[in-house]
Amino acid sequence: MNVPDIIIAIDGYSSTGKSSFAKQIAKEFSFLYLDSGALYRAVTLFAMRSGMVSDGKTIDTARLSEALGTLDIHFEHGEGGSHTFIGDECVDVPIRSIEVSSVVSPVAVLPEVREYVDRILVEYGRAGRVVMDGRDIGTTVFPDADIKIFMVADDKVRAERRLKEMKAAGQDADFETVIENLKSRDYIDSHRETSPLRQADDAVVLDNTHMTPEDQMEWIKDLIRSRYGD
Ligand code: DC
């Protein structure tokens, strides 16, 4: 299928399968995949390791803002897909820990952090032919994105998927902790002042509670065909 050099923005609640879907799209249509959540997670990991987070939620905003000036967080795209780096360290695994997951939303609330991440995303997105996932891609980062998708799924299904993903990565967690973390992140993400999670007016909703990855691929192909032809 012939897909033009467009920008596809995928937003939605935590663990609705945004990144799996975005990766699937990138592979199928040879697009560049950008995981904006991974950048927020990397900033969070950096802040935690640098002692800028106390009692699990209080962030030393002044020190973090200053550090962002020289902080090198970037993606490297290779055979195995997209990887997130802090300097020359690949942080794909530590940024997915439950510890980072429980601090990332308060970090992502900070306007300085949002500006830092947006700058990186805009730079990568300049050439087009990218698929990005996050919370505010279609509303703030790329308000002119060609296709905007807003993903939703049942809470329990989301928690089960996340738990499976964590177990596969060798991380320990229980269902209750995971579902509570999802709900609390959704709440913070939707209620923050700067770029809250919300559906863009021109976004198409995808509820994938009962969909397989193959169903999702058919769904996006139909959407692209309806807009750009075959
Ligand atoms: O997609 P994720 O779960 O890896 O995202 C981690 C956190 O980062 C999420 O709880 C909220 C924040 N985030 C955001 O505020 N804006 C984005 N565009 C992407 C993620």
Side-chain angles (χ1 to χ4, degrees):
M1 172 172 186
N2 242 343
V3 182
D5 291 347
I6 54 174
I7 291 182
I8 302 177
I10 305 179
D11 290 305
Y13 294 101
S14 295
S15 293
T16 44
K18 300 182 297 294
S19 58
S20 305
F21 190 32
K23 281 182 204 157
Q24 209 187 349
I25 292 172
K27 195 165 172 214
E28 180 83 16
F29 306 134
S30 303
F31 271 44
L32 186 64
Y33 165 55
L34 301 175
D35 175 355
S36 66
L39 298 177
Y40 287 104
R41 286 172 178 273
V43 172
T44 304
L45 179 68
F46 165 80
M48 290 169 81
R49 284 177 172 177
S50 314
M52 296 175 186
V53 181
S54 42
D55 40 284
K57 58 179 186 306
T58 312
I59 298 137
D60 187 337
T61 316
R63 267 181 70 211
L64 179 57
S65 301
E66 199 186 316
L68 290 177
T70 52
L71 182 61
D72 167 25
I73 290 178
H74 63 274
F75 294 122
E76 291 191 13
H77 297 94
E79 290 266 312
S82 170
H83 303 285
T84 311
F85 279 73
I86 300 180
D88 54 14
E89 180 194 358
C90 176
V91 291
D92 286 350
V93 173
I95 60 172
R96 304 279 157 209
S97 69
I98 194 83
E99 290 79 14
V100 169
S101 297
S102 47
V103 182
V104 63
S105 282
V107 170
V109 159
L110 304 171
E112 299 87 341
V113 173
R114 303 208 70 81
E115 272 166 35
Y116 173 82
V117 168
D118 289 357
R119 259 201 315 276
I120 300 175
L121 293 171
V122 168
E123 197 52 49
Y124 277 111
R126 222 176 271 287
R129 214 171 178 80
V130 294
V131 53
M132 286 185 222
D133 80 303
R135 306 292 189 290
D136 62 340
I137 307 300
T139 51
T140 306
V141 186
F142 281 97
D144 298 326
D146 304 278
I147 291 188
K148 298 182 188 177
I149 298 165
F150 192 80
M151 286 180 69
V152 298
D154 175 81
D155 288 357
K156 286 196 179 126
V157 170
R158 292 194 289 145
E160 268 153 21
R161 287 178 186 159
R162 183 85 187 108
L163 201 56
K164 208 168 138 193
E165 207 176 85
M166 292 180 74
K167 288 202 169 140
Q171 289 166 359
D172 217 14
D174 62 87
F175 184 81
E176 283 312 313
T177 311
V178 170
I179 200 162
E180 280 319 308
N181 174 259
L182 292 185
K183 286 185 181 170
S184 107
R185 282 200 289 146
D186 287 346
Y187 184 85
I188 300 174
D189 297 344
S190 319
H191 290 81
R192 66 174 172 234
E193 236 167 83
T194 318
S195 315
L197 165 66
R198 69 170 180 81
Q199 186 188 330
D201 295 337
D202 49 351
V204 188
V205 175
L206 172 62
D207 180 343
N208 70 0
T209 305
H210 303 294
M211 283 171 100
T212 63
E214 292 75 26
D215 295 337
Q216 293 190 156
M217 198 32 83
E218 278 317 303
W219 180 90
I220 183 112
K221 283 183 175 168
D222 284 345
L223 182 67
I224 293 174
R225 254 183 232 113
S226 72
R227 301 220 185 150
Y228 304 99
D230 266 318

